[in-house]
Amino acid sequence: MAIGTYNQIMEELTRLNISYEMVDHPAAETTEEADQYIEGHIGVRTKSMFLKDKKKHFYLLIMDDKKRLDFHEFQDLTGAKRVSMAHDHDIKEQLGLVPGIISPFGLMNNSAHNITVLFDKEMLQEPILTFHPNENTHTIFLKTADVLRFVNEQGFEYKIIDL
């Protein structure tokens, strides 16, 4: 599996002519910790959750990190049954990542294209979204439209849900 490393992400963003702002910082293990390093910068602090259901369908859910996921509501909206957080080995196998740095950039590593990508509607109304670019020592700020285009350019369609 070709791993979408930090450098490969930067190359892909350049290829797609997507501009961004980058903040380099010490390793951040939580969104709260990362927020301290990017204080004063404008952009939705996101959390990307990698989920699976009882049939082993995978979901990459991107939402505002201040929101809590209601699993029952998620299941109602998607029709998925018995949804839970994916195991660490699923994250590694499907996204080539480790917990704590999950983001849409991991889609570069999923050649099977077997992940349903979902964005929370409310967050998409904001102009800038933030992520770790497959390393937790950087935070990248991208225009929301460019994040959606990046997902499409990796061969994935996305769905918008209202959580």
Side-chain angles (χ1 to χ4, degrees):
M1 166 171 50
I3 301 297
T5 64
Y6 172 79
N7 289 335
Q8 289 169 323
I9 292 166
M10 298 304 101
E11 290 170 10
E12 181 70 353
L13 293 173
T14 299
R15 183 185 77 78
L16 297 172
N17 199 27
I18 293 176
S19 60
Y20 57 87
E21 179 187 349
M22 185 73 67
V23 175
D24 300 325
H25 51 72
E29 301 298 324
T30 65
T31 55
E32 294 83 12
E33 193 176 340
D35 286 350
Q36 295 175 18
Y37 301 126
I38 58 175
E39 193 173 335
H41 293 267
I42 296 171
V44 175
R45 278 47 169 173
T46 64
K47 65 178 160 191
S48 300
M49 302 174 72
F50 196 56
L51 310 169
K52 73 176 181 179
D53 66 15
K54 73 175 188 171
K55 293 184 178 180
K56 297 200 183 342
H57 293 128
F58 294 102
Y59 303 88
L60 178 62
L61 172 63
I62 297 113
M63 59 192 291
D64 189 315
D65 77 349
K66 293 190 180 6
K67 277 185 129 174
R68 292 186 50 83
L69 175 62
D70 179 329
F71 280 88
H72 296 294
E73 181 183 18
F74 179 85
Q75 290 173 154
D76 289 344
L77 291 170
T78 62
K81 304 289 183 216
R82 292 198 339 238
V83 173
S84 63
M85 301 296 287
H87 296 287
D88 293 358
H89 68 271
D90 293 324
I91 296 167
K92 179 70 173 164
E93 183 179 294
Q94 300 299 322
L95 296 172
L97 301 174
V98 296
I101 57 167
I102 298 169
S103 77
F105 300 115
L107 295 171
M108 291 178 69
N109 302 325
N110 184 260
S111 57
H113 291 87
N114 62 341
I115 299 170
T116 300
V117 182
L118 304 158
F119 287 90
D120 181 37
K121 179 181 178 180
E122 181 182 356
M123 174 191 70
L124 293 181
Q125 297 171 20
E126 299 297 326
I128 304 289
L129 302 177
T130 68
F131 302 95
H132 284 312
N134 291 6
E135 290 183 7
N136 66 356
T137 55
H138 314 279
T139 299
I140 190 168
F141 295 73
L142 297 144
K143 291 178 185 167
T144 301
D146 287 338
V147 173
L148 299 176
R149 186 163 68 90
F150 179 89
V151 169
N152 284 147
E153 290 286 340
Q154 302 315 304
F156 291 84
E157 292 188 15
Y158 58 85
K159 297 176 183 174
I160 299 170
I161 58 175
D162 194 357
L163 290 171

